[in-house]
């Protein structure tokens, strides 16, 4: 296996498909890319996450608005598919930030079930955050914004279309299965209540150029959970 591929079963998969480049998405600090070879790894990765979701010791469910059920630490899942998508997230960080190193401070999956949502928040301890859509879930006939990820940050021009500094317009970057988004970790974002029945599943990473001291997850250190 070369450094550029990861072996999934009998098949070598390129970490970074040569024809793909991230695109600026709504703001010069946000970039987006959509991988098209998802059938090679989504089914097994989704099955793995749904299996982990059943594990009471590994899953974390803080409260309804805390982004569904979380399963942390992709690197501990013993999943080659999780390894592949993490390698892609780190490669995206290096490309967008034009740097040599990308160190994951914390990674996790979010499984949203009907009624789950995510209150507005930023991510701690990181330069950039990445979110990847494994399954956007069902569309809701009576709620076109159901389960949609958006930025709600007055520092983004897109969010302040009527008056500078006044957040009046959530910015929806659009997330389909296979979409990976990178953004500055401080940008405030949220996920609307999910009205569908099929699990809506995303992955997230907080990444820095260098490793940080201390525990990435306050709960791991006995502190308060964060969303
Ligand atoms: Fe988040």
């Amino acid at each position: 296996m070369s450094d550029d591929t990861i072996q999934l079963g009998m098949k070598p998969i390129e970490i970074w498909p040569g024809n793909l480049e991230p695109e600026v998405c709504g703001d010069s600090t946000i970039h987006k890319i959509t991988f098209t070879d998802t059938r090679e790894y989504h089914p097994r990765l989704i099955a793995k996450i749904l299996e982990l979701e059943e594990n009471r010791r590994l899953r974390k469910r803080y409260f309804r608005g805390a982004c569904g059920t979380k399963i942390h630490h992709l690197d501990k899942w013993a999943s080659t598919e999780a390894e592949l998508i993490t390698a892609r997230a780190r490669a995206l960080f290096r490309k967008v930030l034009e740097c040599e190193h990308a160190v994951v401070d914390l990674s996790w999956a979010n499984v949203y079930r009907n009624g789950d949502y995510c209150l507005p928040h930023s991510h701690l301890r990181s330069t950039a955050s990445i979110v990847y859509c494994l399954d956007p879930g069902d569309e809701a006939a009576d709620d076109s914004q159901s389960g949609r990820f958006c930025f709600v940050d007055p520092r983004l021009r897109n969010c302040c279309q009527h008056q500078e500094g006044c957040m009046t317009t959530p910015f929806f970057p659009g997330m389909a299965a296979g979409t990976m988004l990178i953004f500055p970790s401080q940008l405030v974002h949220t996920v609307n209540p999910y009205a569908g029945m099929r699990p809506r599943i995303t992955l997230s990473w907080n990444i820095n150029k260098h490793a940080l001291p201390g525990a990435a997850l306050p709960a791991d250190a006995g502190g308060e959970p964060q969303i």
Side-chain angles (χ1 to χ4, degrees), residues 71-122:
I71 305 116
H72 289 98
H73 310 306
L74 272 70
D75 53 312
K76 295 181 181 165
W77 294 0
S79 159
T80 318
E81 288 77 16
E83 198 183 314
L84 168 68
I85 198 65
T86 296
R88 287 186 168 177
R90 294 179 60 234
L92 179 62
F93 180 97
R94 291 194 300 266
K95 265 178 188 286
V96 168
L97 279 83
E98 298 179 343
C99 60
E100 213 176 318
H101 302 290
V103 182
V104 175
D105 191 58
L106 185 63
S107 60
W108 65 97
N110 296 100
V111 182
Y112 288 72
R113 299 281 176 173
N114 183 275
D116 288 346
Y117 61 100
C118 195
L119 288 166
H121 63 283
S122 300

Side-chain angles (χ1 to χ4, degrees), residues 13-102:
I13 305 288
E14 282 181 299
I15 290 173
W16 197 268
N19 56 339
L20 289 185
E21 280 301 323
E23 292 175 1
V24 169
C25 178
D27 184 86
S28 61
T29 63
I30 304 171
H31 292 76
K32 177 175 163 177
I33 190 162
T34 298
F35 295 100
T36 55
D37 57 354
T38 57
R39 83 172 74 143
E40 307 290 349
Y41 57 96
H42 274 203
R44 279 176 63 91
L45 192 46
I46 288 171
K48 179 78 184 180
I49 290 167
L50 294 178
E51 178 195 319
L52 292 171
E53 188 198 13
E54 297 292 313
N55 186 320
R56 288 172 183 274
R57 194 172 54 80
L58 296 180
R59 73 183 181 203
K60 297 271 190 302
R61 206 172 155 81
Y62 301 118
F63 56 91
R64 195 89 210 233
C67 318
T69 300
K70 295 186 182 192
I71 305 116
H72 289 98
H73 310 306
L74 272 70
D75 53 312
K76 295 181 181 165
W77 294 0
S79 159
T80 318
E81 288 77 16
E83 198 183 314
L84 168 68
I85 198 65
T86 296
R88 287 186 168 177
R90 294 179 60 234
L92 179 62
F93 180 97
R94 291 194 300 266
K95 265 178 188 286
V96 168
L97 279 83
E98 298 179 343
C99 60
E100 213 176 318
H101 302 290

Side-chain angles (χ1 to χ4, degrees), residues 118 120-121 145 147-153 156 159 167 169-175 181 187-192 200:
C118 195
H121 63 283
Q145 316 289 30
R148 291 183 71 195
F149 173 101
C150 59
F151 293 100
V152 286
D153 192 307
L156 287 177
C159 289
M167 206 309 291
T169 314
F171 169 50
F172 294 89
M175 299 282 287
L181 194 71
L187 285 183
V188 181
H189 55 282
T190 182
V191 176
N192 291 332
R200 174 196 182 276

Side-chain angles (χ1 to χ4, degrees), residues 174-221:
M175 299 282 287
T179 300
M180 187 175 270
L181 194 71
I182 183 167
F183 56 93
S185 302
Q186 295 77 16
L187 285 183
V188 181
H189 55 282
T190 182
V191 176
N192 291 332
Y194 176 53
M197 297 311 293
R198 192 172 81 239
R200 174 196 182 276
I201 307 174
T202 56
L203 299 170
S204 300
W205 299 260
N206 285 339
I207 305 185
N208 293 306
K209 291 179 184 174
H210 303 286
L212 295 186
L217 190 62
D220 283 354

